[in-house]
Amino acid sequence: MLEYGLIQTRGFTNVIENGRVTGFSVLLRMPNYRGAWGSLIDGADVTVDGKAFPRESVRWTLGGRTFTLDELQASTGVHWDLDAPAVVTVPLDGGLSAGVHEVAVTVLLRSPYIPAFALPLRFEDRRTCTIVPTGIGDDAGFRYGVSVYSLTGDINTVMTLEDAMADIADLGGSGVELLTQGIPGYPEPSAAWIDEWHRLCETYRLVPTNISSWVDNQMWRDRDLTVEEAAAQLERDLRLAHRLGFGYLRPKFGVISPELDPHPTWRETVLRNLDLAAELDVVLNPEIHSPTPIQHPVTQNYVRFIEETGTEHVKLLIDTGIFQTELVTDGHPGFDEDEVPAFLRPLKTPMSDLAEVLPHVGFVQSKFFEIDDQLHDLHVPWADILRTLHDGGWSGWLSSEYEGRREPYRGREQLRRHHALLRTLAADLDRTAR
Amino acid sequence: MLEYGLIQTRGFTNVIENGRVTGFSVLLRMPNYRGAWGSLIDGADVTVDGKAFPRESVRWTLGGRTFTLDELQASTGVHWDLDAPAVVTVPLDGGLSAGVHEVAVTVLLRSPYIPAFALPLRFEDRRTCTIVPTGIGDDAGFRYGVSVYSLTGDINTVMTLEDAMADIADLGGSGVELLTQGIPGYPEPSAAWIDEWHRLCETYRLVPTNISSWVDNQMWRDRDLTVEEAAAQLERDLRLAHRLGFGYLRPKFGVISPELDPHPTWRETVLRNLDLAAELDVVLNPEIHSPTPIQHPVTQNYVRFIEETGTEHVKLLIDTGIFQTELVTDGHPGFDEDEVPAFLRPLKTPMSDLAEVLPHVGFVQSKFFEIDDQLHDLHVPWADILRTLHDGGWSGWLSSEYEGRREPYRGREQLRRHHALLRTLAADLDRTAR
């Protein structure tokens, strides 16, 4: 699906030709109801951060063919369809800087059935768009991915799963996280869905990273799951994870306290699945999530379990919300603003705790809530987190998980900002390491 | 695609069981990010026009199976997926009246991984929804359809073509209009697209009615189309119309005056395609559209053409905007509000003109801009139009064409209101005729 506005989030990027950055491109949705012949396009006025680019310099790509404005106006049979964005490329030596830009576009169209005095039609849009740095090698040893949870609300309404995966590839990510219960037909998705999943992973060159799974211990009102039932839920999801190509599975158990103490059957549930996890080579990584910090019995119990069993297939998933320094109240429909539950209050877990537990960390769910126009995160200290991971020699997935406000399209733009921030910090780490 | 809100536009309808209206149903999108087991649903509170319905009385349909709340809470393996709406059915003897209703819904969900003090999660939505009367036979001899132009902006962003067609079927329509240039891959859509089109028409039992086509005479800056080129454009679209199953094609020519005088080649362009139109049995119906009323040289030239050639394959398409009594300024991006062009000013064409030209009318594009909460059209006199058509013995398609404000989802709700209004007026005509 295309975005409702003229200017699209996806595809705002610097253009590299012969190893040199020669400009930037932006994707535009056809703003007129019927589409238009290329010859009826009178150009686009593009302004970025107040700098206007001449209409005549812009190149247009429609249906895979690229044109100057003159060529487009003389063309026959070239059509800007309603379902396919035009790629507008603007020459600019060195391109745009990484980060957030104010972009304004006016598209001009003629239409022969409209009287000449009313032409050209003008279609305007203005918004912020983000350039994600694409420096190869500047990764500080981490791998970068996205959880589709970031696009909650958007998927199935204004985006398809394919849109989500195209977005991830477009922002330079190489890993994708899913939720078991978000899969159509769960717990038994169709073979067609599974084939399509593999096709999408291949098309967008994405590695399935972690799948978030639940053991819903208290799924009925009158009794809890037995250990057998709980173990069967986990087994089913482990097999599904493996079938979809995931190397990590986050099991989330029912809780029995406000501090998220897991249901007492958790230990036996995991124990019964350890051999299967090893056989399928899927790591089970319980989530360390606010309000449970690292120095907490719940987390320490997981660590003890790992050490006692000696398993290689249980690790910790760190949700970076535990490092949060400022309160966030929005993004949680279902709670009143006045009754902020404990698990939304900033924990400010110290970096020394992360360093200490690092050998047991398998996966980092890079939870965030808001990145502003200057690429500052208002709640989570990314520079500290990345330095701690880097200094501890940790390498693995940083999987962005946006959990801020849920207006349509907000998540997809915030993900670009988050990746721009992470990649900028990673480049700094790489530079100081050299 | 589902609608972003909890309450969906499509599917708000009275429920008939054994020939009796026993209640109404409403479709809800899963409001939680992960979906939910049926056993974790704590019910839905539904209020219509201030009347609350008991949570316990509501029946739930998920995955084609229907449950009481007790049955749902005791169920295993029933899952409310993110991509599939729940059908909530509320018992109400006689159902809801035709027209617009204020609907409020609160969905309650438990989630075992969230501490008990924060449960159940509550998800609320409130909006207006429209019941379209489904009285069979109350059609006053007309057939009812929709132009997908009504959903401009929504299609390819928040709706697919299939959504549009499902909406039309759901509101009781049996015909669908397309725009040639809105077809992906136009002028040569893929065989796969054409197959899919026929599949959709069959699935939703929709007749392809009229296809809107353009002869873009002034498609280049330096010269107009020759007659040969113009005739070839029309021929191409006639063949496409036939291949897609349309019986009417509206050719729109480039204009040479503010009063929409068509390009002087129009006559020869149509003449050269008359035999083909007859062979394919597709009626060419030029559009009588504001600012060109019926008593106008442009319209009279079309009438003369029909009479002189004696053709059965050219008729008039009446856009009901010519009967408009009040000014509408919105819904036309591309024009400044202060410079209302002539073709947006209310023409107030008298009904006697319609009656006079009726023998030449092939198709009625039921243009409208806004229907209010009381089912009043603020701009177009529908009672007069329907009575004139009915009294003149005209029968044919009334194809709703919404041209009001373009916020997402507005068109689909306005189409329901328009059909509710038309069907209510038709029932009145049928009643007085008996």
Side-chain angles (χ1 to χ4, degrees):
Chain A
M1 309 301 281
L2 295 171
E3 224 159 299
Y4 200 85
L6 171 62
I7 302 170
Q8 305 291 297
T9 301
R10 192 193 307 154
F12 184 62
T13 185
N14 282 324
V15 174
I16 300 170
E17 290 173 309
N18 304 319
R20 216 164 52 85
V21 177
T22 57
F24 64 92
S25 63
V26 58
L27 268 54
L28 305 179
R29 178 168 80 90
M30 166 38 71
N32 194 219
Y33 71 95
R34 68 161 180 155
W37 295 113
S39 62
L40 292 171
I41 296 172
D42 268 7
D45 292 330
V46 178
T47 304
V48 178
D49 303 328
K51 179 177 162 57
F53 296 90
R55 198 181 297 176
E56 295 71 24
S57 71
V58 165
R59 277 172 298 149
W60 290 77
T61 304
L62 289 168
R65 294 165 63 197
T66 298
F67 304 88
T68 64
L69 185 55
D70 279 350
E71 288 165 351
L72 198 59
Q73 295 198 328
S75 69
T76 304
V78 176
H79 197 260
W80 185 357
D81 284 359
L82 296 181
D83 71 333
V87 184
V88 158
T89 302
V90 182
L92 176 65
D93 206 36
L96 295 170
S97 58
V100 182
H101 298 275
E102 180 77 22
V103 180
V105 175
T106 302
V107 167
L108 307 164
L109 298 176
R110 302 193 316 286
S111 206
Y113 75 88
I114 291 178
F117 76 87
L119 300 179
L121 305 176
R122 299 168 61 87
F123 300 91
E124 300 184 8
D125 194 13
R126 171 183 292 272
R127 52 167 291 188
T128 56
C129 294
T130 301
I131 295 281
V132 186
T134 48
I136 291 152
D138 282 340
D139 54 18
F142 308 124
R143 302 177 80 184
Y144 300 85
V146 169
S147 170
V148 298
Y149 169 79
S150 307
L151 301 166
T152 289
D154 287 358
I155 290 188
N156 300 307
T157 59
V158 299
M159 293 173 75
T160 61
L161 179 60
E162 176 155 9
D163 285 323
M165 293 172 79
D167 270 25
I168 298 170
D170 189 70
L171 59 72
S174 55
V176 54
E177 272 191 86
L178 278 192
L179 314 179
T180 54
Q181 293 200 32
I183 296 173
Y186 177 82
E188 287 162 15
S190 66
W193 190 91
I194 292 176
D195 287 348
E196 175 69 0
W197 166 253
H198 288 297
R199 183 190 74 78
L200 292 174
C201 288
E202 200 169 315
T203 301
Y204 297 102
R205 301 176 184 221
L206 297 179
V207 176
T209 57
N210 174 66
I211 192 162
S212 288
S213 153
W214 290 264
V215 176
D216 280 315
N217 298 85
Q218 300 95 333
M219 68 179 289
W220 297 296
R221 286 196 162 280
D222 56 345
R223 68 172 183 86
D224 292 357
L225 297 183
T226 63
V227 172
E228 287 70 26
E229 288 167 332
Q233 280 198 4
L234 183 53
E235 179 187 338
R236 182 184 58 197
D237 283 1
L238 259 173
R239 294 191 187 279
L240 179 61
H242 178 67
R243 209 169 155 203
L244 298 177
F246 287 94
Y248 294 87
L249 178 148
R250 184 225 60 188
K252 193 127 184 160
F253 304 99
V255 300
I256 56 167
S257 75
E259 287 202 312
L260 308 192
D261 283 288
H263 195 272
T265 52
W266 79 265
R267 201 183 153 87
E268 185 62 20
T269 301
V270 174
L271 267 178
R272 293 191 186 190
N273 277 285
L274 272 191
D275 288 348
L276 181 65
E279 181 194 324
L280 304 178
D281 199 16
V282 175
V283 172
L284 297 167
N285 44 193
E287 182 170 5
I288 310 310
H289 190 290
S290 177
T292 310
I294 290 167
Q295 299 294 350
H296 185 280
V298 169
T299 309
Q300 296 307 316
N301 278 337
Y302 290 136
V303 169
R304 200 167 308 124
F305 181 95
I306 295 168
E307 289 172 346
E308 284 173 11
T309 58
T311 178
E312 298 271 301
H313 287 87
V314 177
K315 295 187 192 294
L316 302 180
L317 180 151
I318 300 291
D319 177 296
T320 52
I322 64 170
F323 305 115
Q324 197 181 317
T325 55
E326 299 291 334
L327 179 68
V328 180
T329 53
D330 53 24
H332 281 277
F335 292 115
D336 285 342
E337 272 204 35
D338 339 330
E339 305 170 9
V340 177
F343 60 92
L344 292 183
R345 291 183 204 132
L347 271 187
K348 306 180 192 176
T349 297
M351 289 301 135
S352 52
D353 288 1
L354 174 60
E356 193 177 301
V357 85
L358 213 45
H360 295 305
V361 173
F363 196 88
V364 175
Q365 218 161 44
S366 302
K367 160 83 58 64
F368 73 104
F369 305 90
E370 172 121 22
I371 314 283
D372 73 9
D373 290 354
Q374 282 73 46
L375 287 193
H376 295 140
D377 187 305
L378 309 181
H379 314 95
V380 182
W382 293 104
D384 295 347
I385 293 169
L386 264 62
R387 173 156 299 285
T388 304
L389 294 171
H390 190 257
D391 289 354
W394 189 85
S395 65
W397 288 103
L398 302 178
S399 187
S400 296
E401 192 192 52
Y402 172 68
E403 197 172 84
R405 275 156 44 208
R406 293 294 183 197
E407 298 103 81
Y409 310 123
R410 196 168 200 280
R412 68 200 304 191
E413 168 62 13
Q414 282 284 319
L415 284 171
R416 295 179 74 87
R417 295 183 178 198
H418 193 230
H419 275 248
L421 170 58
L422 293 185
R423 300 307 288 259
T424 304
L425 291 171
D428 287 348
L429 284 174
D430 279 337
R431 230 185 328 272
T432 54
R434 273 182 212 126
Chain B
M1 309 298 285
L2 294 171
E3 223 159 299
Y4 201 86
L6 171 62
I7 302 170
Q8 305 291 297
T9 301
R10 192 193 306 155
F12 185 63
T13 185
N14 282 325
V15 174
I16 300 170
E17 290 172 310
N18 304 320
R20 217 165 52 85
V21 177
T22 57
F24 63 92
S25 63
V26 58
L27 268 53
L28 304 179
R29 179 168 80 90
M30 165 37 72
N32 194 219
Y33 71 94
R34 69 161 179 154
W37 295 114
S39 62
L40 292 171
I41 297 172
D42 268 7
D45 292 329
V46 178
T47 304
V48 177
D49 303 329
K51 176 177 164 56
F53 295 90
R55 198 181 297 176
E56 295 70 24
S57 71
V58 165
R59 278 173 296 149
W60 290 76
T61 304
L62 289 168
R65 293 165 62 196
T66 298
F67 305 88
T68 64
L69 185 56
D70 279 350
E71 289 165 350
L72 198 60
Q73 294 199 328
S75 68
T76 305
V78 177
H79 196 259
W80 186 358
D81 285 0
L82 297 181
D83 70 334
V87 183
V88 159
T89 302
V90 181
L92 176 65
D93 206 35
L96 295 170
S97 59
V100 182
H101 298 275
E102 180 76 23
V103 180
V105 175
T106 302
V107 168
L108 307 164
L109 298 176
R110 302 191 318 286
S111 204
Y113 76 89
I114 292 177
F117 75 87
L119 298 179
L121 305 177
R122 299 169 60 86
F123 301 90
E124 301 183 8
D125 194 13
R126 172 184 291 272
R127 52 167 291 188
T128 57
C129 294
T130 300
I131 296 280
V132 186
T134 48
I136 291 152
D138 282 340
D139 55 17
F142 308 123
R143 301 177 80 185
Y144 299 84
V146 169
S147 170
V148 298
Y149 169 80
S150 307
L151 301 165
T152 289
D154 287 358
I155 289 189
N156 301 306
T157 60
V158 300
M159 293 173 76
T160 61
L161 178 60
E162 177 155 7
D163 286 322
M165 293 171 78
D167 271 24
I168 298 170
D170 190 70
L171 59 72
S174 55
V176 54
E177 271 191 85
L178 278 192
L179 314 179
T180 53
Q181 294 201 30
I183 296 173
Y186 177 81
E188 287 162 15
S190 66
W193 190 90
I194 292 175
D195 286 349
E196 176 68 1
W197 166 253
H198 287 298
R199 184 189 74 78
L200 293 174
C201 288
E202 200 169 315
T203 301
Y204 298 102
R205 301 174 183 223
L206 297 180
V207 176
T209 56
N210 173 66
I211 192 162
S212 288
S213 152
W214 290 264
V215 175
D216 279 316
N217 298 85
Q218 301 94 333
M219 69 178 289
W220 296 297
R221 286 196 163 280
D222 55 347
R223 67 172 183 86
D224 292 359
L225 296 183
T226 62
V227 172
E228 287 71 25
E229 288 167 333
Q233 281 198 3
L234 184 53
E235 179 186 339
R236 183 184 58 198
D237 283 3
L238 260 173
R239 294 191 186 280
L240 179 61
H242 178 67
R243 208 168 155 204
L244 298 177
F246 286 94
Y248 294 86
L249 179 148
R250 184 225 57 190
K252 194 127 184 160
F253 303 99
V255 299
I256 56 166
S257 75
E259 288 200 313
L260 308 191
D261 283 288
H263 195 273
T265 53
W266 80 265
R267 202 181 153 85
E268 184 63 20
T269 301
V270 174
L271 267 179
R272 292 192 187 188
N273 277 285
L274 272 191
D275 287 349
L276 181 64
E279 181 194 323
L280 304 178
D281 199 15
V282 175
V283 172
L284 298 167
N285 46 190
E287 182 169 4
I288 309 310
H289 190 291
S290 177
T292 309
I294 290 168
Q295 300 293 349
H296 186 280
V298 169
T299 309
Q300 296 308 317
N301 279 336
Y302 290 136
V303 171
R304 201 167 308 125
F305 181 94
I306 296 168
E307 290 172 346
E308 283 172 11
T309 58
T311 177
E312 299 271 301
H313 286 88
V314 178
K315 295 187 193 293
L316 302 180
L317 181 152
I318 300 291
D319 178 296
T320 52
I322 64 170
F323 306 115
Q324 197 180 317
T325 54
E326 297 293 332
L327 179 69
V328 180
T329 54
D330 54 24
H332 282 276
F335 293 114
D336 286 343
E337 272 203 36
D338 338 332
E339 307 168 8
V340 178
F343 60 90
L344 291 184
R345 291 183 204 133
L347 271 189
K348 306 181 193 175
T349 297
M351 289 301 135
S352 53
D353 288 2
L354 175 60
E356 191 177 303
V357 84
L358 213 45
H360 294 305
V361 173
F363 196 87
V364 175
Q365 218 161 45
S366 303
K367 158 84 58 66
F368 72 105
F369 305 90
E370 172 121 21
I371 313 283
D372 72 11
D373 290 354
Q374 282 73 45
L375 286 195
H376 294 141
D377 187 305
L378 309 181
H379 314 94
V380 182
W382 292 105
D384 295 346
I385 294 170
L386 264 63
R387 174 157 298 285
T388 305
L389 293 170
H390 189 257
D391 288 354
W394 188 86
S395 66
W397 288 102
L398 302 178
S399 186
S400 296
E401 191 192 54
Y402 171 68
E403 195 172 85
R405 277 157 42 207
R406 293 295 183 196
E407 297 104 79
Y409 309 123
R410 196 167 200 280
R412 67 200 305 190
E413 168 62 13
Q414 282 283 318
L415 284 171
R416 295 179 75 86
R417 295 182 178 199
H418 193 229
H419 277 248
L421 169 57
L422 293 185
R423 301 305 290 259
T424 304
L425 292 172
D428 287 348
L429 284 174
D430 280 336
R431 231 186 326 273
T432 53
R434 272 182 214 125

